[in-house]
Amino acid sequence: MQIYDVCIIGAGPVGLSLAAALQKSKQLNKVLILDSIKKPKFNKQGLPNQRVLSVTQSSREVLQSVGAWDKLEQGRVNPYNRMIIDESNGQDYLEFKNQQAHIIEYDNIVNALLEVYDGEIEFESKLEKIELKPNEYVTVNDKFQCKLLIGSDGNKSKVKECSNIGTYGHSYHQMGIVCTVERTDQDSEVAYQTYLSNGCPLALLPLYNPYSSIVWTAYMDDYKYLMSLSDEEFLKVLNSQLGRYAPRIKSISNKRMAFPLQSLQAQRYIQKRIALIGDAAHSNHPMAGQGMNMGINDAALLANCIIKNSRSGNDIGLEQSLEEYESQAKLMNYTTSIAMELIKNTYENKTISPLRQLGAKIINNLDPIKQIMIQYGSKHPLGPSQFEWVK
Ligand SMILES: Cc1cc2nc3c(=O)[nH]c(=O)nc-3n(C[C@H](O)[C@H](O)[C@H](O)COP(=O)(O)OP(=O)(O)OC[C@H]3O[C@@H](n4cnc5c(N)ncnc54)[C@H](O)[C@@H]3O)c2cc1C
């Protein structure tokens, strides 16, 4: 049976970021990644994909540090500087400038990371079972053994399930509907988010001209209705719901996709010989576009921890070797999750609408406060401050 230092389950942006950092450090001999899907292909010539991500400064730094940022298809990396947040029921709005964020397709990021990671990777290889022999190795699918098994396998993590790690949280009973649209304007520098009368956000995220991506949060009845509409009908409803500052939409470019939304936190991020990162460890409402960014911070914190332990000659799979990662990542992710729940509840509460409007008006004129909010959103103060793999 092949023995690896680390086996990573899930080749999404988070698992691949970790793999690329470990590879760059040259500290480990053998790393293996497994993913159940076919090797993804990024269609550089085609229309933008439905799944896009708002990528913060901190994720950009991690991607740059492993060499993946330069491998992105640059014509499909859209920087945006301004974000306008308003409510369909109110006149006032919040405007954030100097965002320094980028909207990038999920597949573009995965493709760039796959270009830099040239270690062992097996697609169409699903994690079915693990056997934990705490003092030895973890056995994966009766086929491989490793000192440390990483779950970066998304919010239905099989690694978490097999390790009997519990989960706190709840479903929002909402779906996030996404698709690509063609705007009527040519301004690709502004992102818009409108809170509808039921408190659900509808975001218009700019891609290269003239495209944008929408993320429409909808309760289950609205979701069923919106998904049942023809493109022409959906276009009409979309244009009627977009905020007063947002451009109108000319056409719907591809099929709508939808994802269930939830707030989840794994009770533990680690166990002897196991670590969870990204959506396997936590999942949040996408309204602030933080999910993958939080996960890439996890990957960086865990890579730092593994590399430091490996340099010191420690067993990288021991719980005490992983504790630093868990304490740092939990603090970082809990604070972000709490901030997001607060924002969500504030916008859902109809009775405080006048107060919220007044608050937006006041904050809009307080540049130092807005600057702090932007800084917090683009680089978490408790996130990784250095990268052990570039030392
Ligand atoms: C509508 C919506 C909009 C969002 N917008 C943003 C945004 O703007 N910015 C942002 O930062 N985040 C955003 N997010 C969140 C973001 O998509 C996730 O946080 C991110 O994809 C998590 O990455 P990951 O690598 O942890 O997991 P995933 O992307 O879910 O990847 C998990 C991988 O594991 C594989 N896998 C699963 N099970 C197994 C198994 N048993 N065996 C082998 N492989 C397995 C899967 O095939 C997949 O490739 C959004 C989410 C939604 C739903």
Side-chain angles (χ1 to χ4, degrees), residues 9-15 34-37 51-55 106 125-128 152-158 176-178 205 215 259-261 277-280 286 289-295:
I9 309 299
V14 174
L34 300 184
D35 200 301
S36 48
I37 57 166
R51 267 191 97 175
V52 306
L53 299 157
S54 171
V55 178
Y106 182 98
S125 189
K126 188 175 182 180
L127 173 74
E128 303 283 0
S152 54
D153 48 347
N155 56 25
K156 295 193 183 111
S157 171
K158 186 80 178 167
I177 302 172
V178 295
L205 307 173
V215 183
F259 301 87
L261 306 181
I277 54 175
D279 275 21
Q290 286 293 335
M292 181 204 67
N293 296 303
M294 292 160 79

mmCIF file of all heavy atoms in Angstrom, residues 9-15 34-37 51-55 106 125-128 152-158 176-178 205 215 259-261 277-280 286 289-295, ligand 1:
data_model
loop_
_atom_site.group_PDB
_atom_site.id
_atom_site.type_symbol
_atom_site.label_atom_id
_atom_site.label_comp_id
_atom_site.label_asym_id
_atom_site.label_seq_id
_atom_site.Cartn_x
_atom_site.Cartn_y
_atom_site.Cartn_z
ATOM 1 N N ILE A 9 -8.455 15.319 0.389
ATOM 2 C CA ILE A 9 -9.688 14.913 -0.306
ATOM 3 C C ILE A 9 -10.413 16.182 -0.759
ATOM 4 O O ILE A 9 -10.881 16.969 0.072
ATOM 5 C CB ILE A 9 -10.622 14.076 0.602
ATOM 6 C CG1 ILE A 9 -9.866 12.919 1.260
ATOM 7 C CG2 ILE A 9 -11.827 13.570 -0.197
ATOM 8 C CD1 ILE A 9 -9.259 11.908 0.314
ATOM 9 N N GLY A 10 -10.511 16.383 -2.080
ATOM 10 C CA GLY A 10 -11.193 17.554 -2.629
ATOM 11 C C GLY A 10 -10.225 18.496 -3.320
ATOM 12 O O GLY A 10 -9.384 19.107 -2.675
ATOM 13 N N ALA A 11 -10.356 18.576 -4.655
ATOM 14 C CA ALA A 11 -9.489 19.461 -5.444
ATOM 15 C C ALA A 11 -10.259 20.709 -5.847
ATOM 16 O O ALA A 11 -10.249 21.127 -7.009
ATOM 17 C CB ALA A 11 -8.953 18.711 -6.654
ATOM 18 N N GLY A 12 -10.947 21.317 -4.880
ATOM 19 C CA GLY A 12 -11.561 22.627 -5.105
ATOM 20 C C GLY A 12 -10.490 23.686 -4.877
ATOM 21 O O GLY A 12 -9.315 23.362 -4.665
ATOM 22 N N PRO A 13 -10.866 24.960 -4.877
ATOM 23 C CA PRO A 13 -9.848 26.007 -4.714
ATOM 24 C C PRO A 13 -9.100 25.920 -3.389
ATOM 25 O O PRO A 13 -7.924 26.257 -3.323
ATOM 26 C CB PRO A 13 -10.660 27.315 -4.790
ATOM 27 C CG PRO A 13 -12.097 26.934 -4.706
ATOM 28 C CD PRO A 13 -12.207 25.505 -5.105
ATOM 29 N N VAL A 14 -9.766 25.406 -2.352
ATOM 30 C CA VAL A 14 -9.141 25.379 -1.031
ATOM 31 C C VAL A 14 -8.125 24.230 -0.922
ATOM 32 O O VAL A 14 -6.965 24.431 -0.551
ATOM 33 C CB VAL A 14 -10.232 25.302 0.063
ATOM 34 C CG1 VAL A 14 -9.617 25.113 1.432
ATOM 35 C CG2 VAL A 14 -11.088 26.566 0.027
ATOM 36 N N GLY A 15 -8.545 23.021 -1.287
ATOM 37 C CA GLY A 15 -7.644 21.872 -1.230
ATOM 38 C C GLY A 15 -6.440 22.074 -2.140
ATOM 39 O O GLY A 15 -5.299 21.757 -1.765
ATOM 40 N N LEU A 34 -7.227 13.547 -4.002
ATOM 41 C CA LEU A 34 -8.282 12.773 -4.658
ATOM 42 C C LEU A 34 -9.490 13.672 -4.870
ATOM 43 O O LEU A 34 -9.825 14.473 -3.996
ATOM 44 C CB LEU A 34 -8.749 11.608 -3.780
ATOM 45 C CG LEU A 34 -7.763 10.530 -3.339
ATOM 46 C CD1 LEU A 34 -8.511 9.450 -2.562
ATOM 47 C CD2 LEU A 34 -7.051 9.925 -4.534
ATOM 48 N N ASP A 35 -10.133 13.529 -6.008
ATOM 49 C CA ASP A 35 -11.417 14.213 -6.213
ATOM 50 C C ASP A 35 -12.340 13.291 -6.989
ATOM 51 O O ASP A 35 -11.895 12.574 -7.891
ATOM 52 C CB ASP A 35 -11.238 15.556 -6.939
ATOM 53 C CG ASP A 35 -12.457 16.449 -6.713
ATOM 54 O OD1 ASP A 35 -13.572 16.039 -7.079
ATOM 55 O OD2 ASP A 35 -12.299 17.543 -6.139
ATOM 56 N N SER A 36 -13.620 13.339 -6.624
ATOM 57 C CA SER A 36 -14.570 12.413 -7.244
ATOM 58 C C SER A 36 -14.948 12.830 -8.669
ATOM 59 O O SER A 36 -15.392 11.992 -9.455
ATOM 60 C CB SER A 36 -15.831 12.319 -6.384
ATOM 61 O OG SER A 36 -16.271 13.603 -6.050
ATOM 62 N N ILE A 37 -14.770 14.099 -8.994
ATOM 63 C CA ILE A 37 -15.219 14.554 -10.325
ATOM 64 C C ILE A 37 -14.161 14.284 -11.395
ATOM 65 O O ILE A 37 -13.016 13.984 -11.088
ATOM 66 C CB ILE A 37 -15.576 16.068 -10.326
ATOM 67 C CG1 ILE A 37 -14.371 16.900 -9.863
ATOM 68 C CG2 ILE A 37 -16.804 16.337 -9.508
ATOM 69 C CD1 ILE A 37 -14.499 18.379 -10.149
ATOM 70 N N ARG A 51 -20.608 29.943 -12.021
ATOM 71 C CA ARG A 51 -20.026 29.995 -10.660
ATOM 72 C C ARG A 51 -18.860 30.958 -10.630
ATOM 73 O O ARG A 51 -17.786 30.679 -11.169
ATOM 74 C CB ARG A 51 -19.530 28.597 -10.256
ATOM 75 C CG ARG A 51 -20.547 27.816 -9.498
ATOM 76 C CD ARG A 51 -19.929 26.588 -8.893
ATOM 77 N NE ARG A 51 -19.564 26.781 -7.502
ATOM 78 C CZ ARG A 51 -19.091 25.806 -6.735
ATOM 79 N NH1 ARG A 51 -18.915 24.608 -7.232
ATOM 80 N NH2 ARG A 51 -18.800 26.039 -5.474
ATOM 81 N N VAL A 52 -19.079 32.116 -10.020
ATOM 82 C CA VAL A 52 -17.984 33.081 -9.904
ATOM 83 C C VAL A 52 -17.752 33.393 -8.432
ATOM 84 O O VAL A 52 -18.632 33.196 -7.591
ATOM 85 C CB VAL A 52 -18.263 34.394 -10.674
ATOM 86 C CG1 VAL A 52 -18.602 34.124 -12.123
ATOM 87 C CG2 VAL A 52 -19.352 35.217 -10.008
ATOM 88 N N LEU A 53 -16.556 33.899 -8.137
ATOM 89 C CA LEU A 53 -16.207 34.185 -6.751
ATOM 90 C C LEU A 53 -15.633 35.588 -6.653
ATOM 91 O O LEU A 53 -14.848 36.002 -7.514
ATOM 92 C CB LEU A 53 -15.149 33.184 -6.267
ATOM 93 C CG LEU A 53 -15.606 31.727 -6.294
ATOM 94 C CD1 LEU A 53 -14.417 30.792 -6.348
ATOM 95 C CD2 LEU A 53 -16.470 31.425 -5.086
ATOM 96 N N SER A 54 -16.015 36.275 -5.608
ATOM 97 C CA SER A 54 -15.384 37.552 -5.309
ATOM 98 C C SER A 54 -14.126 37.213 -4.498
ATOM 99 O O SER A 54 -14.212 36.594 -3.444
ATOM 100 C CB SER A 54 -16.366 38.396 -4.493
ATOM 101 O OG SER A 54 -15.704 39.524 -4.027
ATOM 102 N N VAL A 55 -12.981 37.574 -5.034
ATOM 103 C CA VAL A 55 -11.702 37.148 -4.448
ATOM 104 C C VAL A 55 -11.050 38.340 -3.746
ATOM 105 O O VAL A 55 -10.824 39.384 -4.354
ATOM 106 C CB VAL A 55 -10.776 36.585 -5.551
ATOM 107 C CG1 VAL A 55 -9.427 36.175 -4.995
ATOM 108 C CG2 VAL A 55 -11.448 35.394 -6.230
ATOM 109 N N TYR A 106 -14.931 30.333 -10.847
ATOM 110 C CA TYR A 106 -14.454 29.201 -10.036
ATOM 111 C C TYR A 106 -13.486 28.345 -10.857
ATOM 112 O O TYR A 106 -12.396 28.003 -10.411
ATOM 113 C CB TYR A 106 -15.680 28.394 -9.597
ATOM 114 C CG TYR A 106 -15.422 27.195 -8.716
ATOM 115 C CD1 TYR A 106 -15.572 27.289 -7.341
ATOM 116 C CD2 TYR A 106 -15.080 25.959 -9.248
ATOM 117 C CE1 TYR A 106 -15.367 26.179 -6.507
ATOM 118 C CE2 TYR A 106 -14.863 24.852 -8.438
ATOM 119 C CZ TYR A 106 -15.017 24.972 -7.068
ATOM 120 O OH TYR A 106 -14.817 23.873 -6.262
ATOM 121 N N SER A 125 -12.013 9.764 -8.364
ATOM 122 C CA SER A 125 -11.619 8.882 -7.270
ATOM 123 C C SER A 125 -12.274 9.411 -5.998
ATOM 124 O O SER A 125 -11.852 10.418 -5.436
ATOM 125 C CB SER A 125 -10.090 8.908 -7.172
ATOM 126 O OG SER A 125 -9.656 7.942 -6.286
ATOM 127 N N LYS A 126 -13.352 8.755 -5.628
ATOM 128 C CA LYS A 126 -14.179 9.255 -4.535
ATOM 129 C C LYS A 126 -13.746 8.662 -3.203
ATOM 130 O O LYS A 126 -13.476 7.453 -3.141
ATOM 131 C CB LYS A 126 -15.623 8.843 -4.837
ATOM 132 C CG LYS A 126 -16.641 9.435 -3.930
ATOM 133 C CD LYS A 126 -18.027 9.061 -4.402
ATOM 134 C CE LYS A 126 -19.059 9.694 -3.501
ATOM 135 N NZ LYS A 126 -20.397 9.375 -3.913
ATOM 136 N N LEU A 127 -13.697 9.494 -2.179
ATOM 137 C CA LEU A 127 -13.434 8.933 -0.847
ATOM 138 C C LEU A 127 -14.682 8.171 -0.417
ATOM 139 O O LEU A 127 -15.779 8.736 -0.346
ATOM 140 C CB LEU A 127 -13.142 10.041 0.174
ATOM 141 C CG LEU A 127 -13.027 9.512 1.606
ATOM 142 C CD1 LEU A 127 -11.723 8.775 1.816
ATOM 143 C CD2 LEU A 127 -13.164 10.614 2.630
ATOM 144 N N GLU A 128 -14.525 6.887 -0.152
ATOM 145 C CA GLU A 128 -15.651 6.067 0.289
ATOM 146 C C GLU A 128 -15.534 5.754 1.767
ATOM 147 O O GLU A 128 -16.515 5.766 2.489
ATOM 148 C CB GLU A 128 -15.694 4.733 -0.480
ATOM 149 C CG GLU A 128 -15.774 4.858 -2.001
ATOM 150 C CD GLU A 128 -17.155 5.217 -2.496
ATOM 151 O OE1 GLU A 128 -18.068 5.382 -1.678
ATOM 152 O OE2 GLU A 128 -17.304 5.344 -3.734
ATOM 153 N N SER A 152 -10.979 18.637 2.388
ATOM 154 C CA SER A 152 -11.336 19.902 1.720
ATOM 155 C C SER A 152 -12.411 19.521 0.712
ATOM 156 O O SER A 152 -12.385 19.935 -0.434
ATOM 157 C CB SER A 152 -10.112 20.524 1.050
ATOM 158 O OG SER A 152 -9.492 19.599 0.183
ATOM 159 N N ASP A 153 -13.329 18.680 1.185
ATOM 160 C CA ASP A 153 -14.316 18.072 0.291
ATOM 161 C C ASP A 153 -15.700 18.697 0.432
ATOM 162 O O ASP A 153 -16.715 18.016 0.259
ATOM 163 C CB ASP A 153 -14.351 16.543 0.480
ATOM 164 C CG ASP A 153 -14.437 16.104 1.934
ATOM 165 O OD1 ASP A 153 -14.232 16.949 2.829
ATOM 166 O OD2 ASP A 153 -14.726 14.919 2.190
ATOM 167 N N GLY A 154 -15.715 20.010 0.719
ATOM 168 C CA GLY A 154 -16.977 20.744 0.649
ATOM 169 C C GLY A 154 -17.907 20.511 1.822
ATOM 170 O O GLY A 154 -17.576 19.818 2.790
ATOM 171 N N ASN A 155 -19.101 21.128 1.738
ATOM 172 C CA ASN A 155 -19.972 21.160 2.925
ATOM 173 C C ASN A 155 -20.667 19.832 3.255
ATOM 174 O O ASN A 155 -21.276 19.694 4.302
ATOM 175 C CB ASN A 155 -20.973 22.322 2.846
ATOM 176 C CG ASN A 155 -21.797 22.273 1.591
ATOM 177 O OD1 ASN A 155 -21.978 21.203 1.003
ATOM 178 N ND2 ASN A 155 -22.281 23.423 1.160
ATOM 179 N N LYS A 156 -20.543 18.852 2.355
ATOM 180 C CA LYS A 156 -21.071 17.515 2.703
ATOM 181 C C LYS A 156 -19.911 16.574 2.964
ATOM 182 O O LYS A 156 -19.959 15.382 2.620
ATOM 183 C CB LYS A 156 -21.953 16.976 1.573
ATOM 184 C CG LYS A 156 -23.206 17.807 1.365
ATOM 185 C CD LYS A 156 -24.179 17.058 0.484
ATOM 186 C CE LYS A 156 -25.397 17.904 0.205
ATOM 187 N NZ LYS A 156 -25.471 18.344 -1.201
ATOM 188 N N SER A 157 -18.875 17.093 3.572
ATOM 189 C CA SER A 157 -17.595 16.396 3.720
ATOM 190 C C SER A 157 -17.709 14.950 4.214
ATOM 191 O O SER A 157 -18.227 14.672 5.298
ATOM 192 C CB SER A 157 -16.724 17.197 4.685
ATOM 193 O OG SER A 157 -15.569 16.475 5.014
ATOM 194 N N LYS A 158 -17.189 14.056 3.391
ATOM 195 C CA LYS A 158 -17.146 12.639 3.771
ATOM 196 C C LYS A 158 -16.058 12.419 4.825
ATOM 197 O O LYS A 158 -16.185 11.544 5.681
ATOM 198 C CB LYS A 158 -16.853 11.805 2.510
ATOM 199 C CG LYS A 158 -16.917 10.318 2.702
ATOM 200 C CD LYS A 158 -18.342 9.811 2.693
ATOM 201 C CE LYS A 158 -18.401 8.302 2.849
ATOM 202 N NZ LYS A 158 -19.738 7.809 3.145
ATOM 203 N N GLY A 176 -29.291 29.911 -3.364
ATOM 204 C CA GLY A 176 -28.565 30.961 -4.084
ATOM 205 C C GLY A 176 -28.644 30.642 -5.568
ATOM 206 O O GLY A 176 -28.079 29.647 -6.019
ATOM 207 N N ILE A 177 -29.391 31.477 -6.309
ATOM 208 C CA ILE A 177 -29.535 31.242 -7.753
ATOM 209 C C ILE A 177 -28.458 32.049 -8.473
ATOM 210 O O ILE A 177 -28.299 33.247 -8.214
ATOM 211 C CB ILE A 177 -30.936 31.681 -8.240
ATOM 212 C CG1 ILE A 177 -32.013 30.917 -7.465
ATOM 213 C CG2 ILE A 177 -31.086 31.491 -9.748
ATOM 214 C CD1 ILE A 177 -33.428 31.414 -7.725
ATOM 215 N N VAL A 178 -27.731 31.388 -9.356
ATOM 216 C CA VAL A 178 -26.660 32.079 -10.069
ATOM 217 C C VAL A 178 -26.812 31.881 -11.578
ATOM 218 O O VAL A 178 -27.300 30.842 -12.031
ATOM 219 C CB VAL A 178 -25.260 31.577 -9.632
ATOM 220 C CG1 VAL A 178 -24.979 31.903 -8.187
ATOM 221 C CG2 VAL A 178 -25.099 30.068 -9.842
ATOM 222 N N LEU A 205 -22.569 41.003 -10.016
ATOM 223 C CA LEU A 205 -21.105 41.043 -9.889
ATOM 224 C C LEU A 205 -20.489 41.182 -11.273
ATOM 225 O O LEU A 205 -20.739 40.343 -12.154
ATOM 226 C CB LEU A 205 -20.609 39.747 -9.225
ATOM 227 C CG LEU A 205 -21.289 39.417 -7.888
ATOM 228 C CD1 LEU A 205 -20.869 38.035 -7.402
ATOM 229 C CD2 LEU A 205 -20.953 40.472 -6.841
ATOM 230 N N VAL A 215 -26.139 36.716 -8.206
ATOM 231 C CA VAL A 215 -26.349 35.774 -7.100
ATOM 232 C C VAL A 215 -27.625 36.247 -6.417
ATOM 233 O O VAL A 215 -27.653 37.305 -5.794
ATOM 234 C CB VAL A 215 -25.182 35.773 -6.088
ATOM 235 C CG1 VAL A 215 -25.429 34.727 -5.004
ATOM 236 C CG2 VAL A 215 -23.855 35.515 -6.777
ATOM 237 N N PHE A 259 -27.870 26.751 -5.421
ATOM 238 C CA PHE A 259 -27.171 26.058 -4.332
ATOM 239 C C PHE A 259 -27.905 26.300 -3.015
ATOM 240 O O PHE A 259 -28.265 27.448 -2.723
ATOM 241 C CB PHE A 259 -25.743 26.597 -4.191
ATOM 242 C CG PHE A 259 -24.922 26.444 -5.446
ATOM 243 C CD1 PHE A 259 -24.940 27.418 -6.441
ATOM 244 C CD2 PHE A 259 -24.161 25.310 -5.640
ATOM 245 C CE1 PHE A 259 -24.202 27.270 -7.601
ATOM 246 C CE2 PHE A 259 -23.408 25.146 -6.807
ATOM 247 C CZ PHE A 259 -23.430 26.129 -7.784
ATOM 248 N N PRO A 260 -28.087 25.248 -2.219
ATOM 249 C CA PRO A 260 -28.710 25.461 -0.904
ATOM 250 C C PRO A 260 -27.782 26.256 0.012
ATOM 251 O O PRO A 260 -26.563 26.068 -0.043
ATOM 252 C CB PRO A 260 -28.905 24.035 -0.362
ATOM 253 C CG PRO A 260 -28.027 23.161 -1.172
ATOM 254 C CD PRO A 260 -27.721 23.848 -2.453
ATOM 255 N N LEU A 261 -28.360 27.140 0.819
ATOM 256 C CA LEU A 261 -27.539 28.004 1.672
ATOM 257 C C LEU A 261 -27.689 27.607 3.139
ATOM 258 O O LEU A 261 -28.790 27.328 3.612
ATOM 259 C CB LEU A 261 -27.942 29.473 1.481
ATOM 260 C CG LEU A 261 -27.918 29.959 0.027
ATOM 261 C CD1 LEU A 261 -28.304 31.427 -0.059
ATOM 262 C CD2 LEU A 261 -26.557 29.718 -0.627
ATOM 263 N N ILE A 277 -10.665 21.782 6.243
ATOM 264 C CA ILE A 277 -10.478 23.169 5.803
ATOM 265 C C ILE A 277 -11.596 23.545 4.823
ATOM 266 O O ILE A 277 -12.259 22.676 4.238
ATOM 267 C CB ILE A 277 -9.098 23.390 5.117
ATOM 268 C CG1 ILE A 277 -8.860 22.396 3.969
ATOM 269 C CG2 ILE A 277 -7.966 23.311 6.119
ATOM 270 C CD1 ILE A 277 -7.555 22.665 3.195
ATOM 271 N N GLY A 278 -11.789 24.838 4.626
ATOM 272 C CA GLY A 278 -12.772 25.318 3.654
ATOM 273 C C GLY A 278 -14.191 24.949 4.057
ATOM 274 O O GLY A 278 -14.522 24.850 5.243
ATOM 275 N N ASP A 279 -15.026 24.701 3.044
ATOM 276 C CA ASP A 279 -16.445 24.421 3.313
ATOM 277 C C ASP A 279 -16.636 23.146 4.134
ATOM 278 O O ASP A 279 -17.697 22.957 4.737
ATOM 279 C CB ASP A 279 -17.227 24.299 1.992
ATOM 280 C CG ASP A 279 -17.666 25.666 1.474
ATOM 281 O OD1 ASP A 279 -17.052 26.675 1.883
ATOM 282 O OD2 ASP A 279 -18.614 25.721 0.664
ATOM 283 N N ALA A 280 -15.657 22.271 4.168
ATOM 284 C CA ALA A 280 -15.773 21.073 5.008
ATOM 285 C C ALA A 280 -15.791 21.477 6.487
ATOM 286 O O ALA A 280 -16.385 20.793 7.316
ATOM 287 C CB ALA A 280 -14.600 20.130 4.735
ATOM 288 N N PRO A 286 -23.641 33.388 1.286
ATOM 289 C CA PRO A 286 -22.706 33.990 0.324
ATOM 290 C C PRO A 286 -22.839 35.501 0.171
ATOM 291 O O PRO A 286 -22.146 36.094 -0.645
ATOM 292 C CB PRO A 286 -23.065 33.284 -0.993
ATOM 293 C CG PRO A 286 -24.482 32.909 -0.838
ATOM 294 C CD PRO A 286 -24.716 32.646 0.623
ATOM 295 N N GLY A 289 -19.701 37.234 0.134
ATOM 296 C CA GLY A 289 -18.688 36.638 -0.744
ATOM 297 C C GLY A 289 -17.424 36.249 -0.002
ATOM 298 O O GLY A 289 -16.315 36.555 -0.440
ATOM 299 N N GLN A 290 -17.559 35.560 1.130
ATOM 300 C CA GLN A 290 -16.370 35.260 1.939
ATOM 301 C C GLN A 290 -16.009 33.777 1.985
ATOM 302 O O GLN A 290 -14.920 33.433 2.437
ATOM 303 C CB GLN A 290 -16.570 35.772 3.369
ATOM 304 C CG GLN A 290 -16.474 37.285 3.511
ATOM 305 C CD GLN A 290 -15.062 37.817 3.242
ATOM 306 O OE1 GLN A 290 -14.089 37.110 3.385
ATOM 307 N NE2 GLN A 290 -14.988 39.065 2.835
ATOM 308 N N GLY A 291 -16.898 32.878 1.552
ATOM 309 C CA GLY A 291 -16.699 31.432 1.773
ATOM 310 C C GLY A 291 -15.355 30.898 1.308
ATOM 311 O O GLY A 291 -14.587 30.345 2.089
ATOM 312 N N MET A 292 -15.039 31.082 0.046
ATOM 313 C CA MET A 292 -13.758 30.558 -0.439
ATOM 314 C C MET A 292 -12.589 31.332 0.166
ATOM 315 O O MET A 292 -11.533 30.766 0.446
ATOM 316 C CB MET A 292 -13.689 30.639 -1.963
ATOM 317 C CG MET A 292 -12.393 30.084 -2.483
ATOM 318 S SD MET A 292 -11.908 30.719 -4.091
ATOM 319 C CE MET A 292 -11.573 32.436 -3.733
ATOM 320 N N ASN A 293 -12.793 32.628 0.360
ATOM 321 C CA ASN A 293 -11.708 33.439 0.943
ATOM 322 C C ASN A 293 -11.361 32.943 2.338
ATOM 323 O O ASN A 293 -10.187 32.862 2.707
ATOM 324 C CB ASN A 293 -12.114 34.915 0.958
ATOM 325 C CG ASN A 293 -12.288 35.462 -0.451
ATOM 326 O OD1 ASN A 293 -11.358 35.407 -1.247
ATOM 327 N ND2 ASN A 293 -13.476 35.949 -0.770
ATOM 328 N N MET A 294 -12.391 32.586 3.116
ATOM 329 C CA MET A 294 -12.125 32.024 4.447
ATOM 330 C C MET A 294 -11.381 30.697 4.303
ATOM 331 O O MET A 294 -10.451 30.389 5.043
ATOM 332 C CB MET A 294 -13.449 31.794 5.202
ATOM 333 C CG MET A 294 -14.173 33.076 5.571
ATOM 334 S SD MET A 294 -15.930 32.785 5.925
ATOM 335 C CE MET A 294 -15.880 32.138 7.566
ATOM 336 N N GLY A 295 -11.802 29.900 3.336
ATOM 337 C CA GLY A 295 -11.193 28.585 3.121
ATOM 338 C C GLY A 295 -9.732 28.703 2.699
ATOM 339 O O GLY A 295 -8.890 27.908 3.132
HETATM 340 C C1 LIG B 1 -24.188 31.130 -4.624
HETATM 341 C C2 LIG B 1 -22.824 31.138 -4.003
HETATM 342 C C3 LIG B 1 -21.982 32.222 -4.210
HETATM 343 C C4 LIG B 1 -20.718 32.257 -3.598
HETATM 344 N N1 LIG B 1 -19.912 33.351 -3.791
HETATM 345 C C5 LIG B 1 -18.704 33.392 -3.184
HETATM 346 C C6 LIG B 1 -17.831 34.506 -3.377
HETATM 347 O O1 LIG B 1 -18.149 35.467 -4.083
HETATM 348 N N2 LIG B 1 -16.620 34.491 -2.752
HETATM 349 C C7 LIG B 1 -16.228 33.459 -1.957
HETATM 350 O O2 LIG B 1 -15.125 33.514 -1.398
HETATM 351 N N3 LIG B 1 -17.036 32.386 -1.766
HETATM 352 C C8 LIG B 1 -18.253 32.324 -2.358
HETATM 353 N N4 LIG B 1 -19.051 31.236 -2.196
HETATM 354 C C9 LIG B 1 -18.567 30.115 -1.378
HETATM 355 C C10 LIG B 1 -17.587 29.244 -2.171
HETATM 356 O O3 LIG B 1 -18.202 28.745 -3.334
HETATM 357 C C11 LIG B 1 -17.110 28.090 -1.301
HETATM 358 O O4 LIG B 1 -16.766 28.574 -0.026
HETATM 359 C C12 LIG B 1 -15.897 27.422 -1.936
HETATM 360 O O5 LIG B 1 -16.244 26.853 -3.176
HETATM 361 C C13 LIG B 1 -15.349 26.349 -0.992
HETATM 362 O O6 LIG B 1 -14.252 25.742 -1.595
HETATM 363 P P1 LIG B 1 -13.790 24.289 -1.143
HETATM 364 O O7 LIG B 1 -12.594 23.980 -1.987
HETATM 365 O O8 LIG B 1 -13.696 24.231 0.335
HETATM 366 O O9 LIG B 1 -15.004 23.330 -1.504
HETATM 367 P P2 LIG B 1 -15.663 23.018 -2.906
HETATM 368 O O10 LIG B 1 -15.498 24.148 -3.842
HETATM 369 O O11 LIG B 1 -17.051 22.568 -2.583
HETATM 370 O O12 LIG B 1 -14.822 21.784 -3.476
HETATM 371 C C14 LIG B 1 -14.913 20.525 -2.859
HETATM 372 C C15 LIG B 1 -14.304 19.483 -3.787
HETATM 373 O O13 LIG B 1 -14.351 18.219 -3.097
HETATM 374 C C16 LIG B 1 -14.769 17.205 -3.994
HETATM 375 N N5 LIG B 1 -15.386 16.116 -3.216
HETATM 376 C C17 LIG B 1 -16.533 16.181 -2.478
HETATM 377 N N6 LIG B 1 -16.777 14.981 -1.889
HETATM 378 C C18 LIG B 1 -15.754 14.160 -2.262
HETATM 379 C C19 LIG B 1 -15.447 12.788 -1.984
HETATM 380 N N7 LIG B 1 -16.222 12.021 -1.196
HETATM 381 N N8 LIG B 1 -14.326 12.255 -2.535
HETATM 382 C C20 LIG B 1 -13.515 13.005 -3.331
HETATM 383 N N9 LIG B 1 -13.775 14.308 -3.639
HETATM 384 C C21 LIG B 1 -14.877 14.868 -3.102
HETATM 385 C C22 LIG B 1 -15.746 17.918 -4.922
HETATM 386 O O14 LIG B 1 -15.856 17.236 -6.154
HETATM 387 C C23 LIG B 1 -15.078 19.305 -5.084
HETATM 388 O O15 LIG B 1 -14.208 19.354 -6.179
HETATM 389 C C24 LIG B 1 -20.298 31.178 -2.786
HETATM 390 C C25 LIG B 1 -21.142 30.082 -2.597
HETATM 391 C C26 LIG B 1 -22.396 30.064 -3.192
HETATM 392 C C27 LIG B 1 -23.294 28.884 -2.962
#
